[in-house]
Amino acid sequence: MLPWFIGFFGLTLGPILISLYLSFTDFDLLTAPHWNGGANFVRIFTADAKFIQSMRVTLFFVIVSVPLKLAFALGVALLLNRGMRGLPIYRAIFYLPSLLGASVAIAVLWRQLFAGNGLVNQFLLNFGIVGPSWISNPRYSLWTLIALAVWQFGSPMIIFLAGLRQIPLDMYEAASLDGAGRWRMFRKITLPLLTPVIFFNAIIQTIEGFKSFTPAFIISGGTGNPINSTLFYTLYLYQEAFGFFRMGYASALAWILLVIVALFTSFSFLTSKYWVHYDN
C-alpha cells in the first residue's frame, strides 16, 4: 500500500490542500504567496465579468452536450445489442473516438473540418449551400465543440451495452406475448431497468463536461474567442494561472469549480430516488 499512499498524499491530497491555501493568497508563481483573505472570492463574485461568461458557456455546454451524448450512445447501444455479426469490431470502432476525442490532434483536425474552407463547407457546397466559418462565428463556435463532445460517445455506449445485456430476455418475451410493441417495451422495460446505468453515465459525463479543456483551447487558440463564446471555465482558469500568473486567483476559481461539481453531483444523488430503479 505504501506506493499508493505516497501517490495519494504527494500527488493528489497534497496539491489539493496547497491550492486551498493559495486560493486565499496573492501568488504570481515568482514570489512568495501573500495572504489576502477572501479577496479573490470577493473579486470573482463582484467584479469579474469573464467569470460569469465562462460559467455561462460551460453550463450551456454541459446542459446540451451531456443529454445529446447519452441519447446518441444509448441509440447506438440498442442497435449493437441486436446480436449483429462482428460486434467486437463495431464496439472497438465506436469506442475509438472516446480515446482520441480529447487529444490535441483531434482538436486540430476538428478546427480544420469547421474552418471557412474546411471539409464541412466543401461538402455543403455540393448542395449549393455556402456555410459560414463555424469556428470564427460566435453563433456556431460553441456548437462545434458540442458536436465534438457528442462524437465521443463510445465510453457511455459501452456501459449502456453492458447494462442492456443484463436485462432478462424473458421479460421481453412475456411483454411480447401480452401484445406490447417495441416502443412500449422500451419505455416500460428497457428504460426503467437501465436507469442505474443512465444515472452512472450522467454523473460521469457531467463531471467530464465541466472539466473539458483541450478542444476549446486548441480551436480558439487559447483565447476563448470569438467574443468569448468558447471560453470554458477551465480555459479561463488556465489563462489566469499561466497566462497572467495569478495562481492564487486561479486556485480560487478551481475551488469554486469543485463546489459547483459537488453540488451538481449531490443534487443528482438526492433526486435519483425518484427515477432510478434498482432490483429491490
Side-chain angles (χ1 to χ4, degrees), residues 63-234:
I63 292 172
V64 175
S65 66
V66 171
L68 287 177
K69 181 191 289 187
L70 295 183
F72 201 76
L74 179 57
V76 175
L78 289 170
L79 292 175
L80 295 180
N81 193 44
R82 294 184 175 183
M84 61 178 62
R85 297 175 61 182
L87 180 59
I89 298 176
Y90 286 107
R91 281 189 306 206
I93 293 174
F94 287 130
Y95 186 71
L96 191 60
S98 291
L99 297 177
L100 302 177
S103 67
V104 173
I106 294 299
V108 172
L109 174 62
W110 212 257
R111 184 174 62 185
Q112 297 301 320
L113 286 175
F114 287 94
N117 59 347
L119 187 61
V120 173
N121 283 345
Q122 292 180 21
F123 175 77
L124 293 176
L125 282 176
N126 295 326
F127 303 95
I129 302 174
V130 180
S133 180
W134 303 93
I135 61 175
S136 60
N137 190 321
R139 294 179 57 186
Y140 309 111
S141 55
L142 183 57
W143 286 100
T144 63
L145 296 177
I146 291 174
L148 176 56
V150 175
W151 180 67
Q152 303 170 45
F153 66 90
S155 178
M157 181 269 295
I158 293 294
I159 298 174
F160 277 135
L161 187 57
L164 290 170
R165 292 299 177 89
Q166 300 301 316
I167 300 178
L169 293 178
D170 55 359
M171 300 189 69
Y172 292 108
E173 295 172 355
S176 179
L177 291 175
D178 289 337
R182 288 186 177 181
W183 174 244
R184 186 173 181 84
M185 286 191 287
F186 175 74
R187 290 189 301 111
K188 298 297 184 179
I189 298 176
T190 305
L191 274 184
L193 294 180
L194 208 59
T195 48
V197 180
I198 296 174
F199 176 63
F200 174 80
N201 271 334
I203 293 292
I204 297 300
Q205 296 305 318
T206 298
I207 295 174
E208 291 299 319
F210 276 108
K211 291 165 50 182
S212 183
F213 169 78
T214 303
F217 179 84
I218 297 300
I219 291 178
S220 70
T223 63
N225 288 325
I227 320 177
N228 291 331
S229 59
T230 59
L231 185 65
F232 283 12
Y233 192 94
T234 51

